[in-house]
Amino acid sequence: MLTMSAMSALGQGTTGDPSAPLDILKTARQKAQSSQLNASSIAQGGNNAGIVFTILFAVVGIGLAGISGVKLYKSSQDDNAREDVGRSLMGLIVGSGITILGVIIGVVTTYMTGNT
């Protein structure tokens, strides 16, 4: 039984199209050439992601500095304020630092890479 099934499988191998592997290879090469997955596309995508990350970093810093500045102002106006002045001052400093770093890194990166 095993021999009969092996013989029938060997006999069916000669009826296929001999150019089929070449057609598959040709199609694969055409798809690879039209693909957007190349080094310059990946570099541009990474650059765009870096710009978005830098802008997000700066916006978070502005928000932190703004909230801390408002809390610091309110606590300085009210003698019975429950807010801790030290935490508000530290938040203002950290938020300003994050904003400055985000903007400086963004400007320097854009200037050095020549992307506008």
Side-chain angles (χ1 to χ4, degrees), residues 17-34:
D17 184 16
S19 66
L22 295 176
D23 292 337
I24 293 171
L25 182 61
K26 187 178 184 182
T27 304
R29 285 185 179 165
Q30 288 173 347
K31 287 182 181 180
Q33 287 176 348
S34 67

Side-chain angles (χ1 to χ4, degrees), residues 57-69:
F57 204 68
V59 168
V60 167
I62 289 171
L64 181 62
I67 291 171
S68 297

Side-chain angles (χ1 to χ4, degrees), residues 61 64-69 85-98:
L64 181 62
I67 291 171
S68 297
V85 176
R87 284 189 296 187
S88 297
L89 187 61
M90 186 57 78
L92 183 68
I93 292 170
V94 169
S96 300
I98 289 173

Side-chain angles (χ1 to χ4, degrees), residues 21-93:
L22 295 176
D23 292 337
I24 293 171
L25 182 61
K26 187 178 184 182
T27 304
R29 285 185 179 165
Q30 288 173 347
K31 287 182 181 180
Q33 287 176 348
S34 67
S35 172
Q36 295 296 323
L37 190 60
N38 52 30
S40 63
S41 173
I42 292 171
Q44 185 174 0
N47 191 18
N48 291 343
I51 290 170
V52 169
F53 183 72
T54 304
I55 291 170
L56 184 65
F57 204 68
V59 168
V60 167
I62 289 171
L64 181 62
I67 291 171
S68 297
V70 168
K71 285 187 176 187
L72 184 62
Y73 176 75
K74 285 182 179 179
S75 67
S76 68
Q77 296 298 318
D78 187 13
D79 290 336
N80 297 327
R82 292 179 164 256
E83 292 295 324
D84 187 19
V85 176
R87 284 189 296 187
S88 297
L89 187 61
M90 186 57 78
L92 183 68
I93 292 170

